[in-house]
Amino acid sequence: MTDRIIAIAEGRHTKPLPFTGSLGAPGTVGDRLGRKIRDLRISVTDRCNFRCIYCMPKEVFGPEHEFLARSQLLSFEEIARVARVFRQHGVEKVRLTGGEPLLRKDLELLIAMLADIPGLDLTLTTNGSILAKKACALKAAGLRRITVSLDSLDDGVFRAMNDVDFPVSKVLEGIHAAARAGLGPIKINMVVKRGVNEGSIVPMARHFRGSGHILRFIEFMDVGATNGWRMDAVVPSTDVIRSIDAEFPLQPIDPNYRGEVAQRWRYRDGAGEIGVISSVTRAFCSECTRARLSTDGLLYTCLFATEGYDLRALVRAGASDTDLVSTIGAIWSTRADRYSEIRTEKTASLRKVEMSYIGG
Ligand code: SAM
């Protein structure tokens, strides 16, 4: 693992905005591999109160790390405006993420603005640490659903993984509060890292079976450039399914919609479903319809990108909505990303943007 401190400003590599000449109508623009834009992930802060070893390792994101200054962040008005433009391009789902999105002050105001955009499915991913306090306000502001990250029910394992000694019990309280507030069905994301939390797979399945929540196992990915990723630390989803199936028999079920990232499995005894997200062992680039907006307004067309397009500059230079629509369309039409399909140990060391900044 690197011990170099990488300032976000240093990682702000931008690509020139493309020529916006001849384009199809908004909503019909496909990229070079024929994929449409359907999802937008928005990172509302690059800060987090956890230091998960696979995401924001302490050695890199320590006290010296420079996070973005307030003036660099997109304002709520700017975010809502950009989201509205994406809606014109056919985006159906917006996910707020980060960093830890619940750390962004007055986030409920942004949620209310986004909830006002007709036809948008609005959700959020959180580490759950302050969810118990916030769940009712989030629901009241218009949030529909929520995803909570939880890597283990074993308190020792969880504290070691979040690396700030945060207890499991508080995240479980957050999950209960979210369910009571009506933010279900709740998705619970567990990143599996070999030698760290494989032992938590079956206990997690046992705990959440029959709860109505959907547990999803995510393969450890080589996002960013600082998490020390190695292929041998990835536990393939097939192994996860095999371990759970041995205790609680499973059968595969169809995706809810084309391009769904998780492969779905149901318990044969009717106790609900789980999902696996196999971005390393079974890349789903060919169906990837996601765009990502970083905390400071760079548009990325891939989670593993090294450069983004500076929409903030455009917005702050007074671009009209028509300009924004055509620029986003032009960017999307040149997209050819398929990183997970061409990943090797070599590409893993590229200087990709950090997940906390681009949004997980
Ligand atoms: N702070 C929020 C949270 O913890 O859910 C949102 C941001 S976090 C970056 C979003 C998701 O990305 C979490 O579920 C996290 O576990 C996952 N994640 C982060 N780094 C990852 C990695 N290297 N491989 C796979 N998933 C990762």
Side-chain angles (χ1 to χ4, degrees):
M1 186 171 303
T2 173
D3 58 0
R4 210 168 76 75
I5 294 163
I6 299 177
I8 284 295
E10 196 187 323
R12 203 171 195 275
H13 297 295
T14 56
K15 278 191 193 182
L17 294 171
F19 170 67
T20 57
S22 54
L23 264 183
T28 64
V29 181
D31 70 7
R32 297 219 317 252
L33 303 175
R35 302 164 295 187
K36 303 273 197 291
I37 327 178
R38 291 291 173 258
D39 313 82
L40 177 64
R41 300 207 167 180
I42 304 176
S43 173
V44 294
T45 176
D46 58 331
R47 292 166 200 256
C48 190
N49 52 342
F50 283 11
R51 286 294 175 272
C52 297
I53 51 172
Y54 54 78
C55 185
M56 293 183 78
K58 249 183 194 162
E59 304 80 13
V60 182
F61 294 88
E64 322 257 284
H65 181 77
E66 262 181 66
F67 289 97
L68 292 167
R70 199 170 173 75
S71 60
Q72 295 174 285
L73 312 188
L74 285 187
S75 69
F76 289 167
E77 288 72 19
E78 288 169 335
I79 293 175
R81 180 165 175 228
V82 172
R84 243 178 266 117
V85 171
F86 270 96
R87 176 74 193 113
Q88 288 192 47
H89 270 296
V91 160
E92 292 158 358
K93 182 155 114 190
V94 164
R95 177 177 297 280
L96 299 180
T97 175
E100 173 46 43
L102 300 188
L103 293 183
R104 178 90 184 244
K105 194 162 170 277
D106 298 326
L107 187 75
E108 298 78 5
L109 298 178
L110 174 64
I111 290 175
M113 289 176 184
L114 296 173
D116 251 3
I117 303 175
L120 211 56
D121 179 18
L122 183 60
T123 183
L124 176 149
T125 303
T126 174
N127 62 25
S129 58
I130 48 175
L131 184 55
K133 251 191 268 165
K134 299 241 170 187
C136 287
L138 296 171
K139 176 70 184 178
L143 190 69
R144 308 255 171 91
R145 293 177 294 106
I146 203 157
T147 298
V148 181
S149 305
L150 177 62
D151 295 328
S152 181
L153 286 171
D154 178 311
D155 206 47
V157 172
F158 183 61
R159 286 176 192 255
M161 287 185 84
N162 63 55
D163 213 9
V164 292
D165 212 25
F166 198 87
V168 171
S169 57
K170 283 238 164 106
V171 179
L172 292 178
E173 271 171 39
I175 293 172
H176 291 312
R180 274 197 308 275
L183 289 168
I186 298 171
K187 290 184 181 148
I188 317 279
N189 278 355
M190 169 176 172
V191 174
V192 186
K193 188 170 176 198
R194 190 176 302 288
V196 179
N197 65 339
E198 302 123 291
S200 303
I201 295 170
V202 174
M204 285 280 282
R206 186 177 299 119
H207 182 86
F208 288 109
R209 265 169 56 78
S211 68
H213 308 325
I214 302 169
L215 177 60
R216 306 187 320 163
F217 298 90
I218 306 180
E219 288 178 349
F220 171 45
M221 294 184 286
D222 53 327
V223 287
T226 61
N227 74 358
W229 184 85
R230 290 167 46 134
M231 188 64 204
D232 57 15
V234 177
V235 177
S237 295
T238 44
D239 292 5
V240 171
I241 293 298
R242 199 174 307 117
S243 329
I244 298 174
D245 182 58
E247 196 152 331
F248 306 112
L250 291 166
Q251 67 184 153
I253 45 178
D254 289 338
N256 285 309
Y257 51 90
R258 196 178 130 78
E260 186 171 32
V261 292
Q263 290 165 267
R264 300 168 67 211
W265 294 76
R266 66 178 286 277
Y267 292 110
R268 286 181 189 266
D269 65 3
E273 69 174 86
I274 61 168
V276 287
I277 301 178
S278 322
S279 23
V280 178
T281 60
R282 195 170 184 272
F284 38 80
C285 303
S286 63
E287 306 219 311
C288 178
T289 53
R290 270 175 299 286
R292 295 170 188 270
L293 189 62
S294 72
T295 316
D296 56 351
L298 258 53
L299 172 61
Y300 289 92
T301 54
C302 177
L303 174 58
F304 302 95
T306 52
E307 296 173 317
Y309 298 91
D310 197 350
L311 292 190
R312 185 188 70 189
L314 207 62
V315 167
R316 293 191 180 169
S320 67
D321 281 3
T322 315
D323 296 336
L324 286 175
V325 168
S326 45
T327 303
I328 289 168
I331 291 169
W332 194 262
S333 67
T334 62
R335 176 189 194 240
D337 308 273
R338 46 189 282 273
Y339 177 86
S340 290
E341 289 178 352
I342 54 170
R343 168 188 289 111
T344 61
E345 293 272 356
K346 255 204 191 129
T347 58
S349 60
L350 286 173
R351 290 204 45 191
K352 297 172 255 94
V353 285
E354 295 300 324
M355 196 160 180
S356 48
Y357 158 75
I358 195 177

